Amino acid sequence: HHAFRHGPVGFLVLDSGEDKPDWNKEYAGLVDFDAYRAEQTQWLRRVVQDESFTTARYRVVFMHIPPSTHPRAYGASQVHTLWSPILNEAHIDLVLCGHTHRFARIDPNESANRYPILINAPDTVVQIEASGSRLEVKAKRTDGGIVDTFALEPHSGD
């Protein structure tokens, strides 16, 4: 996990770990993603307060597993429970994910995520252009066909 700033965009990169509980037989007792997510939660609380991040015109997060409230999706549920409240308060503009192998856009809503979530697929590419006036997002298939496109306005000094 780390944070960086590029032009008008503050980026957060989070490691969402795996999607099954740590005690799942597939991991043979070799992982501790619950503790790692908890450690990142403490870091996240601090980094969203950093001036470099709070003064960014746009705030974008990368994480593999999309945050979800689905009770049977262990990793996604953990990510949602731990990180979504912090991300909501930090006025995140966009969360970019993978994991499901299917393209999807989850629009913001007041009950779970106040930011759009874009889940990319293996056969799509996401292009983002940031300017002072807009953050333009375009998802294209590898053959060049447009899958989705939208634009976000910059923060107005939250």
Side-chain angles (χ1 to χ4, degrees):
H1 56 278
H2 63 281
F4 64 98
R5 175 89 178 251
H6 185 71
V9 185
F11 291 95
L12 301 176
V13 180
L14 296 166
D15 184 348
S16 49
E18 287 292 339
D19 57 356
K20 293 175 247 346
D22 290 343
W23 58 88
N24 187 285
K25 64 182 178 181
E26 290 186 29
Y27 303 139
L30 298 175
V31 301
D32 192 1
F33 289 113
D34 287 350
Y36 186 48
R37 283 189 286 261
E39 174 187 314
Q40 287 182 86
T41 301
Q42 297 306 314
W43 171 84
L44 181 61
R45 284 189 181 111
R46 288 189 308 274
V47 77
V48 298
Q49 301 297 318
D50 288 350
E51 183 178 355
S52 176
F53 190 72
T54 61
T55 59
R57 289 185 70 78
Y58 309 99
R59 299 167 190 160
V60 176
V61 178
F62 295 104
M63 70 175 83
H64 182 68
I65 299 174
S68 168
T69 58
H70 192 283
R72 291 189 338 202
Y74 184 82
S77 178
Q78 288 287 303
V79 166
H80 172 74
T81 300
L82 293 170
W83 298 344
S84 286
I86 300 167
L87 298 177
N88 282 335
E89 289 298 315
H91 305 285
I92 298 302
D93 293 295
L94 179 64
V95 173
L96 298 167
C97 302
H99 188 64
T100 65
H101 301 267
R102 289 182 303 274
F103 180 86
R105 177 168 35 136
I106 302 169
D107 290 324
N109 65 71
E110 288 301 312
S111 64
N113 53 289
R114 295 184 203 143
Y115 43 82
I117 300 170
L118 195 64
I119 305 169
N120 206 22
D123 63 344
T124 57
V125 174
V126 175
Q127 294 177 319
I128 299 176
E129 290 188 33
S131 70
S133 61
R134 304 167 56 97
L135 186 75
E136 294 188 33
V137 182
K138 185 182 295 184
K140 301 189 311 188
R141 287 188 303 274
T142 52
D143 66 8
I146 302 296
V147 177
D148 193 8
T149 184
F150 60 96
L152 301 168
E153 301 299 316
H155 290 285
S156 58
D158 26 86

